[in-house]
Amino acid sequence: MDEKKVYTAVEIQKMLNLSKSKLYIFLDEAYRRQDPFKVLKIGKLYRIQKDSFDKWINGEV
């Protein structure tokens, strides 16, 4: 089975312990800047590139 390549917004919300409104403000800004990690937006859905997010959360970037 293929390794997961993206996180959902709900998964990021749980990892960062953010409210839903704060999460979407943060993801929208990250999407616009593509920093501190890569964010894809498909319609209203956000998908966060796993490798990019993992490096950021582990302080590798």
Side-chain angles (χ1 to χ4, degrees):
M1 186 174 225
D2 291 328
E3 184 179 331
K4 185 174 191 166
K5 296 192 189 276
V6 295
Y7 289 121
T8 65
V10 172
E11 291 171 319
I12 298 298
Q13 181 182 12
K14 289 177 184 175
M15 285 187 261
L16 298 179
N17 195 28
L18 293 173
S19 69
K20 192 173 184 179
S21 60
K22 292 284 186 193
L23 171 75
Y24 282 99
I25 291 168
F26 180 57
L27 289 180
D28 188 56
E29 181 65 24
Y31 171 72
R32 290 173 200 249
R33 294 178 28 212
Q34 290 301 303
D35 184 63
F37 45 80
K38 305 257 188 233
V39 178
L40 304 170
K41 190 172 181 185
I42 305 160
K44 293 183 179 181
L45 299 176
Y46 287 96
R47 293 296 181 261
I48 298 84
Q49 186 184 42
K50 184 181 182 310
D51 290 341
S52 178
F53 180 82
D54 290 346
K55 285 179 184 175
W56 173 75
I57 199 76
N58 292 319
E60 297 173 17
V61 178

